[in-house]
Short mmCIF file of all heavy atoms in Angstrom, two decimals:
data_model
loop_
_atom_site.label_atom_id
_atom_site.label_comp_id
_atom_site.label_asym_id
_atom_site.label_seq_id
_atom_site.Cartn_x
_atom_site.Cartn_y
_atom_site.Cartn_z
N GLU A 218 -11.44 32.22 -3.65
CA GLU A 218 -10.13 31.67 -3.94
C GLU A 218 -9.10 32.81 -3.78
O GLU A 218 -9.30 33.90 -4.28
CB GLU A 218 -10.08 31.13 -5.36
CG GLU A 218 -8.74 30.46 -5.70
CD GLU A 218 -8.68 29.99 -7.13
OE1 GLU A 218 -8.91 30.82 -8.02
OE2 GLU A 218 -8.37 28.81 -7.33
N THR A 219 -8.04 32.51 -3.05
CA THR A 219 -6.97 33.50 -2.83
C THR A 219 -5.65 32.89 -3.20
O THR A 219 -5.53 31.69 -3.49
CB THR A 219 -6.96 33.92 -1.33
OG1 THR A 219 -6.54 32.78 -0.53
CG2 THR A 219 -8.30 34.41 -0.86
N ALA A 220 -4.60 33.70 -3.15
CA ALA A 220 -3.27 33.19 -3.46
C ALA A 220 -2.88 32.09 -2.48
O ALA A 220 -2.25 31.10 -2.83
CB ALA A 220 -2.27 34.33 -3.42
N ARG A 221 -3.31 32.26 -1.22
CA ARG A 221 -2.92 31.26 -0.21
C ARG A 221 -3.73 29.98 -0.33
O ARG A 221 -3.22 28.89 -0.08
CB ARG A 221 -3.09 31.87 1.18
CG ARG A 221 -2.50 31.02 2.28
CD ARG A 221 -2.47 31.76 3.59
NE ARG A 221 -1.31 32.63 3.71
CZ ARG A 221 -1.13 33.49 4.74
NH1 ARG A 221 -2.04 33.57 5.70
NH2 ARG A 221 -0.05 34.22 4.79
N THR A 222 -5.00 30.07 -0.72
CA THR A 222 -5.77 28.83 -0.90
C THR A 222 -5.21 28.06 -2.11
O THR A 222 -5.14 26.83 -2.06
CB THR A 222 -7.27 29.12 -1.11
OG1 THR A 222 -7.45 29.91 -2.29
CG2 THR A 222 -7.86 29.87 0.07
N ARG A 223 -4.83 28.79 -3.16
CA ARG A 223 -4.23 28.10 -4.32
C ARG A 223 -2.91 27.45 -3.91
O ARG A 223 -2.59 26.33 -4.34
CB ARG A 223 -4.01 29.10 -5.47
CG ARG A 223 -5.28 29.52 -6.17
CD ARG A 223 -4.99 30.23 -7.48
NE ARG A 223 -4.24 31.48 -7.26
CZ ARG A 223 -4.80 32.66 -7.03
NH1 ARG A 223 -6.11 32.76 -6.99
NH2 ARG A 223 -4.05 33.73 -6.85
N ALA A 224 -2.14 28.18 -3.10
CA ALA A 224 -0.85 27.61 -2.65
C ALA A 224 -1.03 26.35 -1.82
O ALA A 224 -0.24 25.40 -1.90
CB ALA A 224 -0.08 28.66 -1.86
N THR A 225 -2.10 26.31 -1.02
CA THR A 225 -2.38 25.15 -0.18
C THR A 225 -2.60 23.92 -1.06
O THR A 225 -2.03 22.85 -0.81
CB THR A 225 -3.62 25.42 0.70
OG1 THR A 225 -3.37 26.56 1.52
CG2 THR A 225 -3.91 24.22 1.59
N VAL A 226 -3.46 24.05 -2.06
CA VAL A 226 -3.75 22.93 -2.96
C VAL A 226 -2.51 22.53 -3.74
O VAL A 226 -2.19 21.35 -3.89
CB VAL A 226 -4.91 23.27 -3.91
CG1 VAL A 226 -5.12 22.15 -4.93
CG2 VAL A 226 -6.18 23.52 -3.13
N GLU A 341 7.20 28.85 3.59
CA GLU A 341 5.84 29.06 3.06
C GLU A 341 4.85 28.10 3.69
O GLU A 341 3.73 28.47 4.06
CB GLU A 341 5.83 28.88 1.54
CG GLU A 341 4.46 29.08 0.89
CD GLU A 341 4.45 28.81 -0.59
OE1 GLU A 341 5.43 28.20 -1.09
OE2 GLU A 341 3.47 29.20 -1.23
N GLU A 344 4.01 29.13 7.24
CA GLU A 344 3.13 30.29 7.23
C GLU A 344 1.69 29.84 7.04
O GLU A 344 0.77 30.32 7.70
CB GLU A 344 3.57 31.25 6.12
CG GLU A 344 2.75 32.52 6.08
CD GLU A 344 3.24 33.45 4.96
OE1 GLU A 344 4.46 33.52 4.75
OE2 GLU A 344 2.37 34.10 4.34
N ILE A 345 1.47 28.92 6.09
CA ILE A 345 0.11 28.44 5.83
C ILE A 345 -0.42 27.63 7.02
O ILE A 345 -1.58 27.77 7.41
CB ILE A 345 0.10 27.60 4.55
CG1 ILE A 345 0.40 28.48 3.32
CG2 ILE A 345 -1.27 26.92 4.37
CD1 ILE A 345 0.51 27.73 2.03
N ALA A 348 -1.50 29.96 9.71
CA ALA A 348 -2.71 30.67 9.32
C ALA A 348 -3.94 29.79 9.52
O ALA A 348 -4.98 30.23 9.99
CB ALA A 348 -2.62 31.14 7.87
N ILE A 349 -3.81 28.50 9.16
CA ILE A 349 -4.91 27.56 9.33
C ILE A 349 -5.23 27.39 10.82
O ILE A 349 -6.42 27.41 11.21
CB ILE A 349 -4.60 26.19 8.70
CG1 ILE A 349 -4.50 26.32 7.18
CG2 ILE A 349 -5.65 25.15 9.09
CD1 ILE A 349 -4.04 25.06 6.47
N GLU A 353 -7.21 31.85 9.98
CA GLU A 353 -7.01 32.92 9.02
C GLU A 353 -7.08 32.32 7.61
O GLU A 353 -7.28 31.13 7.43
CB GLU A 353 -5.70 33.63 9.27
CG GLU A 353 -5.59 34.27 10.67
CD GLU A 353 -4.19 34.80 10.94
OE1 GLU A 353 -3.26 34.48 10.16
OE2 GLU A 353 -4.04 35.49 11.95
N ASP A 354 -6.93 33.15 6.59
CA ASP A 354 -6.82 32.68 5.23
C ASP A 354 -5.69 31.66 5.16
O ASP A 354 -4.58 31.98 5.61
CB ASP A 354 -6.53 33.87 4.31
CG ASP A 354 -6.42 33.47 2.85
OD1 ASP A 354 -7.07 32.48 2.49
OD2 ASP A 354 -5.70 34.16 2.09
N PRO A 355 -5.88 30.41 4.70
CA PRO A 355 -7.00 29.92 3.90
C PRO A 355 -8.19 29.36 4.67
O PRO A 355 -9.21 29.03 4.09
CB PRO A 355 -6.37 28.83 3.05
CG PRO A 355 -5.32 28.26 3.96
CD PRO A 355 -4.78 29.42 4.75
N ALA A 356 -8.06 29.21 6.01
CA ALA A 356 -9.14 28.59 6.76
C ALA A 356 -10.37 29.45 6.82
O ALA A 356 -11.48 28.98 7.11
CB ALA A 356 -8.66 28.28 8.18
N TRP A 360 -14.49 25.87 2.08
CA TRP A 360 -13.91 24.83 1.24
C TRP A 360 -14.94 23.79 0.85
O TRP A 360 -15.76 23.39 1.68
CB TRP A 360 -12.73 24.16 1.94
CG TRP A 360 -11.53 25.01 2.01
CD1 TRP A 360 -11.27 25.99 2.95
CD2 TRP A 360 -10.40 24.98 1.14
NE1 TRP A 360 -10.06 26.58 2.73
CE2 TRP A 360 -9.48 25.97 1.61
CE3 TRP A 360 -10.06 24.22 0.03
CZ2 TRP A 360 -8.26 26.22 0.98
CZ3 TRP A 360 -8.84 24.47 -0.58
CH2 TRP A 360 -7.97 25.46 -0.13
#
Side-chain angles (χ1 to χ4, degrees):
E218 185 183 54
T219 66
R221 191 170 276 173
T222 63
R223 287 193 296 272
T225 301
V226 175
E341 180 184 14
E344 183 180 323
I345 293 175
I349 293 174
E353 299 173 349
D354 180 28
W360 286 83

